[in-house]
Amino acid sequence: MWFRQLSFYRLSGESLVDADKLLQALEKRPFQPCMGLDWFSEGWVPPAGHLEAPVYAARGSLMVSMRREDKVLPASVIRDFVEMKVQEIEDKELRKVGRKEKLALKEQITDDLLPRAFVRSGRTSAYLDIARGWLMVDSGSSSKAEALVSKLREALPPFPAALPRTQIAPHTAMTDWLAAGEAPGGFELDADCELKDGSENGAVVRCSRIDLTSDEIRQHIATGKQATKLGLIWNEKIRFQLTDTLQLKRIQFLDMLQDEASQAGDDRESLFEATFILMSEELGELVEALVEALGGVEDSQAQPAAPAPTQTQAPQSAPSDAGSAVDVPWD
């Protein structure tokens, strides 16, 4: 369940996301399979197979998962059936089928085929870091991340999430780091980047497995190219690629973290709990450090995050009691 990509949103401190209300809201919108004439369906499911509730709480974070099914009915299949039906009518009735009649046939055939179409399914997971004030979505696709946020807004309006706006634009910071040959704080340059020329020709240079402190990279920067993607390593724990849209892609949790999570136990409940707690803590610290390296968020988003929750469960020092798939009271 390690996140592989990350889109993150700022949670407004003006509106506390209540765990009880979130659980009740998502339970009213469970996932239902795509049936009949529906082209798609989406709803909330438990974040893991051994859980029953759609909200998983642990150490001040709330994990949710949205499942979506889409009917797969290629346009070429519909077109072939329409052409066969048109040919059948023309041969039988000795007349030409007009455009309006073809459109009606297309609608009828689509309705006939839709219940028998294949279904493609997928899920998008996310968690709310209440203490730090972030919504973390396991997706590098803006459309998928926004779809999950929209469903949360439908379930719990007004859901207080917005894309972060940093004082320094990501492409500006990444370009400066490459020019200087080093990244700030606990970050270090990895071995991949993408550089784009802002002029009309729009030349793009993609570098992989290369020393990013080399003169070759600096020469590209000197000619006016700007970084749109940059490989980074954070605290020797997480490798990722930062984009100019402030998304994290190709996330790899390095061996020391995976080994630490595996020590929690062999059963899936303990492993899931330990992995989630470790992942949420590390990603939370990474995002905080990254935003700080970008000058912090704009003043309009700089209001204090919601206060950390007070749990009524066992102390956090006992990992087996730190997480729960039921609602958690908050002060």
Side-chain angles (χ1 to χ4, degrees), residues 59 273 277 311 313-323:
R59 299 276 179 94
E273 179 182 316
I277 291 174
Q311 296 188 356
Q313 297 173 326
Q316 295 181 358
S317 58
S320 60
D321 295 328

Side-chain angles (χ1 to χ4, degrees), residues 15-331:
S15 178
L16 176 64
V17 179
D18 182 85
D20 292 332
K21 291 181 179 178
L22 179 62
L23 177 63
Q24 294 171 10
L26 299 195
E27 285 181 332
K28 295 176 181 177
R29 293 168 172 80
F31 170 77
Q32 300 292 340
C34 196
M35 304 293 289
L37 300 180
D38 296 330
W39 277 99
F40 73 94
S41 65
E42 55 188 11
W44 301 101
V45 295
H50 66 281
L51 303 175
E52 296 182 359
V55 178
Y56 179 79
R59 299 276 179 94
S61 294
L62 306 174
M63 188 175 188
V64 298
S65 188
M66 185 183 77
R67 182 175 176 183
R68 179 182 172 109
E69 283 187 351
D70 290 274
K71 291 286 183 63
V72 180
L73 188 56
S76 59
V77 173
I78 298 174
R79 184 174 60 250
D80 290 344
F81 273 86
V82 171
E83 289 177 355
M84 286 190 294
K85 187 63 176 178
V86 168
Q87 189 64 49
E88 178 184 338
I89 293 174
E90 291 181 345
D91 292 343
K92 183 177 180 180
E93 301 182 13
L94 300 177
R95 64 179 180 86
K96 296 292 292 183
V97 175
R99 181 176 178 274
K100 187 174 182 180
E101 188 176 358
K102 284 183 180 179
L103 291 176
L105 286 172
K106 181 179 179 181
E107 292 182 4
Q108 179 185 341
I109 288 172
T110 300
D111 289 345
D112 291 341
L113 293 177
L114 201 54
R116 295 180 283 160
F118 289 108
V119 174
R120 179 178 59 240
S121 65
R123 69 164 62 200
T124 304
S125 295
Y127 71 89
L128 288 75
D129 187 332
I130 304 298
R132 296 183 179 91
W134 296 106
L135 168 66
M136 310 289 208
V137 184
D138 183 13
S139 176
S141 165
S142 297
S143 59
K144 287 185 179 180
E146 286 292 342
L148 183 139
V149 174
S150 295
K151 293 297 289 185
L152 284 173
R153 289 196 181 104
E154 290 178 12
L156 200 66
F159 186 72
L163 288 170
R165 300 185 300 275
T166 54
Q167 300 285 354
I168 304 173
H171 71 270
T172 300
M174 292 188 294
T175 304
D176 290 344
W177 299 344
L178 284 174
E182 63 178 357
F187 298 96
E188 62 180 283
L189 300 178
D190 198 2
D192 62 285
C193 70
E194 179 180 279
L195 305 170
K196 187 173 182 179
D197 193 332
S199 62
E200 292 183 2
N201 63 17
V204 177
V205 177
R206 295 182 178 89
C207 304
S208 180
R209 296 188 295 276
I210 190 173
D211 180 5
L212 296 184
T213 64
S214 66
D215 291 338
E216 180 182 357
I217 297 297
R218 289 194 180 94
Q219 288 173 3
H220 284 300
I221 299 296
T223 60
K225 294 183 179 67
Q226 292 191 322
T228 53
K229 296 179 182 178
L230 178 62
L232 295 167
I233 300 175
W234 183 73
N235 278 351
E236 300 182 349
K237 295 179 180 180
I238 302 176
R239 172 179 281 119
F240 66 97
Q241 186 182 75
L242 176 64
T243 74
D244 57 353
T245 57
L246 202 52
Q247 293 175 318
L248 277 59
K249 298 189 176 183
R250 302 180 184 177
I251 298 175
Q252 296 179 24
F253 292 85
L254 302 182
D255 291 344
M256 71 165 62
L257 292 180
Q258 302 210 30
D259 292 343
E260 185 177 344
S262 65
Q263 295 173 5
D266 295 332
D267 61 289
R268 63 177 181 174
E269 291 85 358
S270 298
L271 183 59
F272 180 87
E273 179 182 316
T275 300
F276 176 61
I277 291 174
L278 188 61
M279 180 189 73
S280 59
E281 284 297 318
E282 295 295 338
L283 282 182
E285 292 180 9
L286 187 160
V287 166
E288 293 277 277
L290 180 60
V291 170
E292 182 179 351
L294 295 174
V297 295
E298 292 183 354
D299 293 340
S300 60
Q301 294 186 319
Q303 68 269 21
T310 301
Q311 296 188 356
T312 59
Q313 297 173 326
Q316 295 181 358
S317 58
S320 60
D321 295 328
S324 173
V326 298
D327 45 338
V328 179
W330 309 91
D331 288 342

